[in-house]
Short mmCIF file of all heavy atoms in Angstrom, two decimals:
data_model
loop_
_atom_site.label_atom_id
_atom_site.label_comp_id
_atom_site.label_asym_id
_atom_site.label_seq_id
_atom_site.Cartn_x
_atom_site.Cartn_y
_atom_site.Cartn_z
N ARG A 175 3.33 -17.23 28.94
CA ARG A 175 4.73 -16.94 28.63
C ARG A 175 5.62 -17.27 29.82
O ARG A 175 5.33 -16.83 30.95
CB ARG A 175 4.91 -15.47 28.30
CG ARG A 175 4.39 -15.04 26.97
CD ARG A 175 4.99 -13.71 26.56
NE ARG A 175 4.62 -12.60 27.43
CZ ARG A 175 5.19 -11.40 27.40
NH1 ARG A 175 6.20 -11.16 26.58
NH2 ARG A 175 4.79 -10.44 28.20
N PRO A 176 6.69 -18.00 29.63
CA PRO A 176 7.59 -18.26 30.76
C PRO A 176 8.37 -17.02 31.19
O PRO A 176 8.78 -16.91 32.34
CB PRO A 176 8.54 -19.35 30.21
CG PRO A 176 8.47 -19.21 28.73
CD PRO A 176 7.10 -18.73 28.42
N VAL A 177 8.58 -16.10 30.27
CA VAL A 177 9.30 -14.86 30.58
C VAL A 177 8.39 -13.68 30.21
O VAL A 177 7.94 -13.56 29.08
CB VAL A 177 10.62 -14.76 29.79
CG1 VAL A 177 11.34 -13.46 30.13
CG2 VAL A 177 11.51 -15.96 30.09
N ASN A 178 8.15 -12.82 31.19
CA ASN A 178 7.22 -11.70 31.01
C ASN A 178 8.01 -10.47 30.58
O ASN A 178 8.59 -9.77 31.40
CB ASN A 178 6.48 -11.45 32.33
CG ASN A 178 5.42 -10.37 32.20
OD1 ASN A 178 5.40 -9.64 31.24
ND2 ASN A 178 4.57 -10.27 33.19
N LEU A 179 8.01 -10.19 29.27
CA LEU A 179 8.75 -9.04 28.74
C LEU A 179 7.78 -8.07 28.07
O LEU A 179 6.85 -8.47 27.38
CB LEU A 179 9.78 -9.50 27.70
CG LEU A 179 10.97 -10.32 28.21
CD1 LEU A 179 11.83 -10.78 27.04
CD2 LEU A 179 11.80 -9.54 29.19
N ASN A 180 8.00 -6.78 28.29
CA ASN A 180 7.32 -5.70 27.56
C ASN A 180 5.81 -5.68 27.76
O ASN A 180 5.06 -5.30 26.86
CB ASN A 180 7.65 -5.78 26.07
CG ASN A 180 9.13 -5.60 25.81
OD1 ASN A 180 9.86 -5.03 26.62
ND2 ASN A 180 9.59 -6.11 24.69
N PHE A 181 5.38 -6.11 28.95
CA PHE A 181 3.98 -5.95 29.34
C PHE A 181 3.04 -6.59 28.32
O PHE A 181 3.34 -7.60 27.71
CB PHE A 181 3.65 -4.46 29.55
CG PHE A 181 4.62 -3.75 30.44
CD1 PHE A 181 5.50 -2.81 29.92
CD2 PHE A 181 4.67 -4.05 31.80
CE1 PHE A 181 6.40 -2.16 30.75
CE2 PHE A 181 5.56 -3.39 32.63
CZ PHE A 181 6.43 -2.45 32.11
N LYS A 182 1.86 -5.99 28.13
CA LYS A 182 0.83 -6.57 27.25
C LYS A 182 1.30 -6.64 25.80
O LYS A 182 1.01 -7.61 25.08
CB LYS A 182 -0.45 -5.75 27.37
CG LYS A 182 -1.59 -6.24 26.50
CD LYS A 182 -2.82 -5.36 26.69
CE LYS A 182 -3.95 -5.73 25.74
NZ LYS A 182 -5.14 -4.88 25.92
N SER A 183 2.01 -5.61 25.34
CA SER A 183 2.45 -5.61 23.95
C SER A 183 3.40 -6.77 23.68
O SER A 183 3.38 -7.36 22.59
CB SER A 183 3.12 -4.28 23.59
OG SER A 183 4.30 -4.09 24.36
N GLY A 184 4.22 -7.12 24.66
CA GLY A 184 5.09 -8.28 24.51
C GLY A 184 4.32 -9.58 24.45
O GLY A 184 4.69 -10.51 23.72
N ASN A 185 3.23 -9.65 25.20
CA ASN A 185 2.38 -10.83 25.18
C ASN A 185 1.73 -11.01 23.81
O ASN A 185 1.69 -12.11 23.25
CB ASN A 185 1.31 -10.70 26.27
CG ASN A 185 0.70 -12.02 26.68
OD1 ASN A 185 1.02 -13.07 26.13
ND2 ASN A 185 -0.17 -11.98 27.65
N VAL A 186 1.22 -9.90 23.24
CA VAL A 186 0.61 -9.95 21.92
C VAL A 186 1.66 -10.29 20.86
O VAL A 186 1.41 -11.08 19.93
CB VAL A 186 -0.08 -8.61 21.59
CG1 VAL A 186 -0.59 -8.58 20.16
CG2 VAL A 186 -1.23 -8.36 22.56
N ALA A 187 2.86 -9.73 20.99
CA ALA A 187 3.93 -10.03 20.04
C ALA A 187 4.31 -11.51 20.08
O ALA A 187 4.56 -12.12 19.03
CB ALA A 187 5.15 -9.16 20.35
N ASP A 188 4.32 -12.08 21.27
CA ASP A 188 4.60 -13.51 21.40
C ASP A 188 3.55 -14.33 20.66
O ASP A 188 3.87 -15.31 19.97
CB ASP A 188 4.64 -13.89 22.88
CG ASP A 188 4.90 -15.36 23.11
OD1 ASP A 188 6.08 -15.76 23.05
OD2 ASP A 188 3.94 -16.13 23.34
N PHE A 189 2.27 -13.95 20.80
CA PHE A 189 1.20 -14.65 20.06
C PHE A 189 1.41 -14.54 18.56
O PHE A 189 1.26 -15.52 17.82
CB PHE A 189 -0.16 -14.05 20.46
CG PHE A 189 -1.24 -14.30 19.45
CD1 PHE A 189 -1.85 -15.54 19.38
CD2 PHE A 189 -1.61 -13.31 18.55
CE1 PHE A 189 -2.84 -15.78 18.43
CE2 PHE A 189 -2.59 -13.54 17.61
CZ PHE A 189 -3.21 -14.78 17.54
N LEU A 190 1.74 -13.34 18.08
CA LEU A 190 1.89 -13.13 16.65
C LEU A 190 3.04 -13.95 16.08
O LEU A 190 2.94 -14.47 14.96
CB LEU A 190 2.08 -11.64 16.35
CG LEU A 190 0.86 -10.76 16.61
CD1 LEU A 190 1.22 -9.29 16.47
CD2 LEU A 190 -0.27 -11.11 15.65
N ARG A 191 4.13 -14.05 16.82
CA ARG A 191 5.25 -14.85 16.33
C ARG A 191 4.86 -16.31 16.18
O ARG A 191 5.33 -17.00 15.26
CB ARG A 191 6.44 -14.71 17.29
CG ARG A 191 7.20 -13.40 17.15
CD ARG A 191 8.50 -13.44 17.92
NE ARG A 191 8.27 -13.49 19.35
CZ ARG A 191 8.19 -12.42 20.14
NH1 ARG A 191 8.29 -11.21 19.61
NH2 ARG A 191 8.01 -12.55 21.44
N ARG A 192 4.00 -16.80 17.05
CA ARG A 192 3.64 -18.22 17.04
C ARG A 192 2.46 -18.52 16.12
O ARG A 192 2.46 -19.56 15.44
CB ARG A 192 3.32 -18.68 18.47
CG ARG A 192 4.52 -18.63 19.39
CD ARG A 192 4.18 -18.92 20.83
NE ARG A 192 5.38 -18.84 21.64
CZ ARG A 192 6.26 -19.84 21.80
NH1 ARG A 192 6.02 -21.00 21.21
NH2 ARG A 192 7.33 -19.69 22.53
N TRP A 193 1.44 -17.66 16.13
CA TRP A 193 0.20 -18.00 15.43
C TRP A 193 -0.29 -16.91 14.49
O TRP A 193 -1.34 -17.06 13.89
CB TRP A 193 -0.91 -18.28 16.46
CG TRP A 193 -0.67 -19.50 17.29
CD1 TRP A 193 -0.63 -20.79 16.88
CD2 TRP A 193 -0.43 -19.53 18.71
NE1 TRP A 193 -0.40 -21.64 17.94
CE2 TRP A 193 -0.27 -20.89 19.08
CE3 TRP A 193 -0.36 -18.55 19.70
CZ2 TRP A 193 -0.04 -21.28 20.39
CZ3 TRP A 193 -0.12 -18.94 21.01
CH2 TRP A 193 0.04 -20.29 21.34
N GLY A 194 0.45 -15.81 14.36
CA GLY A 194 -0.05 -14.69 13.59
C GLY A 194 -0.37 -15.03 12.14
O GLY A 194 -1.39 -14.61 11.61
N ARG A 195 0.47 -15.83 11.49
CA ARG A 195 0.27 -16.12 10.06
C ARG A 195 -0.87 -17.11 9.83
O ARG A 195 -1.22 -17.39 8.69
CB ARG A 195 1.57 -16.66 9.46
CG ARG A 195 2.64 -15.57 9.34
CD ARG A 195 3.97 -16.10 8.88
NE ARG A 195 4.94 -15.01 8.74
CZ ARG A 195 5.62 -14.49 9.74
NH1 ARG A 195 5.45 -14.97 10.97
NH2 ARG A 195 6.48 -13.49 9.54
N ARG A 196 -1.43 -17.60 10.91
CA ARG A 196 -2.57 -18.52 10.80
C ARG A 196 -3.88 -17.76 10.54
O ARG A 196 -4.87 -18.35 10.11
CB ARG A 196 -2.66 -19.32 12.11
CG ARG A 196 -3.75 -20.34 12.21
CD ARG A 196 -3.69 -21.00 13.58
NE ARG A 196 -4.80 -21.87 13.82
CZ ARG A 196 -4.79 -23.20 13.61
NH1 ARG A 196 -3.70 -23.77 13.12
NH2 ARG A 196 -5.85 -23.94 13.88
N HIS A 197 -3.87 -16.41 10.80
CA HIS A 197 -5.09 -15.63 10.72
C HIS A 197 -4.87 -14.36 9.91
O HIS A 197 -3.74 -13.86 9.80
CB HIS A 197 -5.57 -15.23 12.13
CG HIS A 197 -5.63 -16.38 13.08
ND1 HIS A 197 -4.56 -16.76 13.86
CD2 HIS A 197 -6.65 -17.24 13.38
CE1 HIS A 197 -4.90 -17.80 14.60
NE2 HIS A 197 -6.16 -18.11 14.33
N LYS A 198 -5.97 -13.81 9.39
CA LYS A 198 -5.89 -12.54 8.67
C LYS A 198 -6.12 -11.37 9.62
O LYS A 198 -5.55 -10.29 9.44
CB LYS A 198 -6.93 -12.51 7.55
CG LYS A 198 -6.78 -11.29 6.64
CD LYS A 198 -7.69 -11.38 5.42
CE LYS A 198 -7.45 -10.18 4.49
NZ LYS A 198 -8.30 -10.26 3.27
N TYR A 199 -6.96 -11.59 10.64
CA TYR A 199 -7.30 -10.52 11.59
C TYR A 199 -7.18 -11.03 13.01
O TYR A 199 -7.23 -12.24 13.27
CB TYR A 199 -8.75 -10.04 11.37
CG TYR A 199 -9.05 -9.59 9.97
CD1 TYR A 199 -9.91 -10.33 9.15
CD2 TYR A 199 -8.50 -8.42 9.45
CE1 TYR A 199 -10.20 -9.93 7.86
CE2 TYR A 199 -8.78 -8.01 8.15
CZ TYR A 199 -9.63 -8.78 7.36
OH TYR A 199 -9.91 -8.38 6.08
N MET A 200 -7.01 -10.09 13.93
CA MET A 200 -7.12 -10.44 15.35
C MET A 200 -7.96 -9.38 16.05
O MET A 200 -7.85 -8.18 15.74
CB MET A 200 -5.76 -10.59 16.03
CG MET A 200 -4.95 -9.34 16.19
SD MET A 200 -3.44 -9.66 17.14
CE MET A 200 -2.67 -8.04 17.09
N ILE A 201 -8.81 -9.84 16.94
CA ILE A 201 -9.64 -8.97 17.77
C ILE A 201 -9.09 -9.04 19.18
O ILE A 201 -8.97 -10.13 19.75
CB ILE A 201 -11.11 -9.40 17.71
CG1 ILE A 201 -11.65 -9.18 16.30
CG2 ILE A 201 -11.95 -8.63 18.73
CD1 ILE A 201 -13.02 -9.76 16.05
N VAL A 202 -8.75 -7.90 19.74
CA VAL A 202 -8.10 -7.84 21.05
C VAL A 202 -9.15 -7.52 22.12
O VAL A 202 -9.89 -6.54 22.01
CB VAL A 202 -7.00 -6.77 21.07
CG1 VAL A 202 -6.23 -6.82 22.40
CG2 VAL A 202 -6.04 -6.97 19.90
N LEU A 203 -9.19 -8.36 23.15
CA LEU A 203 -10.07 -8.15 24.29
C LEU A 203 -9.24 -7.84 25.52
O LEU A 203 -8.08 -8.25 25.62
CB LEU A 203 -10.93 -9.38 24.56
CG LEU A 203 -11.81 -9.92 23.43
CD1 LEU A 203 -12.59 -11.14 23.93
CD2 LEU A 203 -12.76 -8.86 22.93
N ASP A 204 -9.83 -7.13 26.47
CA ASP A 204 -9.30 -7.02 27.83
C ASP A 204 -10.02 -8.04 28.70
O ASP A 204 -11.02 -8.65 28.28
CB ASP A 204 -9.51 -5.62 28.38
CG ASP A 204 -8.27 -4.75 28.22
OD1 ASP A 204 -7.26 -5.25 27.71
OD2 ASP A 204 -8.31 -3.57 28.59
N ALA A 205 -9.54 -8.20 29.93
CA ALA A 205 -10.16 -9.17 30.83
C ALA A 205 -11.63 -8.84 31.09
O ALA A 205 -12.43 -9.74 31.34
CB ALA A 205 -9.40 -9.22 32.15
N ASP A 206 -12.00 -7.57 31.03
CA ASP A 206 -13.38 -7.18 31.30
C ASP A 206 -14.16 -6.87 30.02
O ASP A 206 -15.25 -6.33 30.08
CB ASP A 206 -13.43 -5.98 32.23
CG ASP A 206 -12.69 -4.76 31.68
OD1 ASP A 206 -12.13 -4.86 30.56
OD2 ASP A 206 -12.67 -3.71 32.34
N SER A 207 -13.62 -7.22 28.86
CA SER A 207 -14.28 -6.91 27.60
C SER A 207 -15.40 -7.89 27.30
O SER A 207 -15.29 -9.09 27.56
CB SER A 207 -13.27 -6.95 26.44
OG SER A 207 -12.31 -5.94 26.55
N LEU A 208 -16.46 -7.35 26.72
CA LEU A 208 -17.54 -8.17 26.16
C LEU A 208 -17.91 -7.56 24.81
O LEU A 208 -18.21 -6.36 24.73
CB LEU A 208 -18.76 -8.20 27.08
CG LEU A 208 -18.62 -8.96 28.40
CD1 LEU A 208 -19.84 -8.73 29.28
CD2 LEU A 208 -18.40 -10.44 28.16
N LEU A 209 -17.89 -8.38 23.76
CA LEU A 209 -18.28 -7.94 22.42
C LEU A 209 -19.30 -8.94 21.89
O LEU A 209 -19.08 -10.16 21.96
CB LEU A 209 -17.07 -7.90 21.49
CG LEU A 209 -16.25 -6.61 21.49
CD1 LEU A 209 -14.84 -6.88 20.97
CD2 LEU A 209 -16.91 -5.57 20.61
N SER A 210 -20.40 -8.46 21.37
CA SER A 210 -21.43 -9.36 20.87
C SER A 210 -20.94 -10.07 19.61
O SER A 210 -20.10 -9.55 18.86
CB SER A 210 -22.72 -8.60 20.58
OG SER A 210 -22.60 -7.83 19.41
N GLY A 211 -21.50 -11.26 19.37
CA GLY A 211 -21.16 -11.99 18.16
C GLY A 211 -21.51 -11.20 16.92
O GLY A 211 -20.77 -11.22 15.92
N ARG A 212 -22.62 -10.47 16.94
CA ARG A 212 -23.03 -9.65 15.79
C ARG A 212 -21.98 -8.59 15.49
O ARG A 212 -21.62 -8.38 14.32
CB ARG A 212 -24.38 -9.00 16.08
CG ARG A 212 -24.89 -8.08 14.98
CD ARG A 212 -26.30 -7.57 15.30
NE ARG A 212 -26.76 -6.62 14.31
CZ ARG A 212 -26.57 -5.31 14.38
NH1 ARG A 212 -25.90 -4.80 15.41
NH2 ARG A 212 -27.02 -4.50 13.44
N THR A 213 -21.48 -7.92 16.52
CA THR A 213 -20.47 -6.88 16.29
C THR A 213 -19.16 -7.47 15.81
O THR A 213 -18.52 -6.92 14.91
CB THR A 213 -20.26 -6.07 17.59
OG1 THR A 213 -21.46 -5.38 17.91
CG2 THR A 213 -19.13 -5.07 17.44
#
Side-chain angles (χ1 to χ4, degrees):
R175 287 198 296 168
V177 180
N178 184 346
L179 292 176
N180 298 338
F181 310 109
K182 179 180 175 180
S183 64
N185 201 357
V186 174
D188 179 81
F189 159 78
L190 291 172
R191 283 191 292 268
R192 295 173 180 276
W193 294 294
R195 290 174 178 82
R196 181 181 173 95
H197 310 89
K198 188 172 183 179
Y199 305 111
M200 68 175 178
I201 294 170
V202 186
L203 304 181
D204 263 359
D206 59 0
S207 294
L208 290 172
L209 274 158
S210 74
R212 178 175 176 270
T213 295

